[in-house]
Amino acid sequence: MECRLAGRSRRPARLRQRELIRAYAEGLSRSIDTGEHRYAYLTQPHVETAIASFYEWPHLDVDDAELQGARDVRAVRPAVTEPFHSAALGDGTLTLRHVADATSGTVSAVAHWVWRMPDRDIIMIVGDSDLPRFLRLRPLYDDLARVIDLVPGDEGRSSIWPTD
């Protein structure tokens, strides 16, 4: 039972935020064709705004570095790839790179969370030109990536969405 005081929930803010993200991601995933992507706007407008892109394709005939964005010619230094594990999707990778906009010179952080499965590739991408904000929100991005899961029986459509 949820206790409310003057219309406000007394559940911890982190729990309310997680429920909101889960409901939003579930809504995004409905009726998506394989390979189609949707954006998740993770926001509290008075605090911060963040965007994550989700992709699911049949297994692509490209090497890992290409899928991870590790060879991006706009990178201002080499990309860093590290193992990333989620209970639902298993072992994957996280690749972080810093890229410069050719026109403005603005440097942005871009991260790819990638899982290569026998029948499909699943990718979550986040990019932000506000580097301090990216660093502050990085734990939330990791949390979001860890709860992406496959929905059984949804063959022929995108079957990924957070399940936590």
Side-chain angles (χ1 to χ4, degrees):
M1 180 172 188
E2 185 175 324
C3 182
R4 292 189 176 271
L5 181 63
R8 298 200 53 134
S9 172
R10 297 181 97 186
R11 287 178 291 145
R14 181 112 166 122
L15 179 60
R16 288 192 311 267
Q17 182 180 32
R18 212 170 244 241
E19 289 171 353
L20 175 66
I21 290 171
R22 184 180 192 281
Y24 188 76
E26 181 178 353
L28 282 172
S29 71
R30 299 202 186 280
S31 301
I32 300 175
D33 292 327
T34 298
E36 182 179 349
H37 63 276
R38 297 281 172 101
Y39 296 97
Y41 298 91
L42 312 175
T43 182
Q44 294 177 322
H46 61 288
V47 180
E48 312 217 60
T49 301
I51 301 171
S53 301
F54 302 89
Y55 300 85
E56 178 187 15
W57 289 292
H59 187 71
L60 299 171
D61 190 22
V62 299
D63 66 13
D64 291 350
E66 185 171 338
L67 201 58
Q68 296 160 341
R71 291 192 297 257
D72 191 332
V73 297
R74 301 168 304 146
V76 296
R77 61 180 176 213
V80 175
T81 299
E82 58 190 49
F84 187 85
H85 181 80
S86 77
L89 297 178
D91 293 328
T93 58
L94 166 61
T95 301
L96 176 62
R97 66 189 186 279
H98 293 85
V99 299
D101 180 271
T103 307
S104 69
T106 302
V107 174
S108 298
V110 181
H112 287 209
W113 289 259
V114 175
W115 292 269
R116 302 214 75 179
M117 313 202 132
D119 62 337
R120 71 187 86 202
D121 292 321
I122 297 172
I123 305 142
M124 182 178 102
I125 301 174
V126 172
D128 199 334
S129 61
D130 184 334
L131 299 179
R133 177 176 55 204
F134 177 84
L135 292 173
R136 275 192 311 277
L137 296 178
R138 170 71 191 279
L140 289 175
Y141 299 142
D142 287 342
D143 286 349
L144 180 60
R146 281 191 183 92
V147 297
I148 296 171
D149 200 350
L150 300 175
V151 178
D154 203 18
E155 293 78 14
R157 296 181 179 222
S158 180
S159 61
I160 59 172
W161 58 282
T163 59
D164 186 23

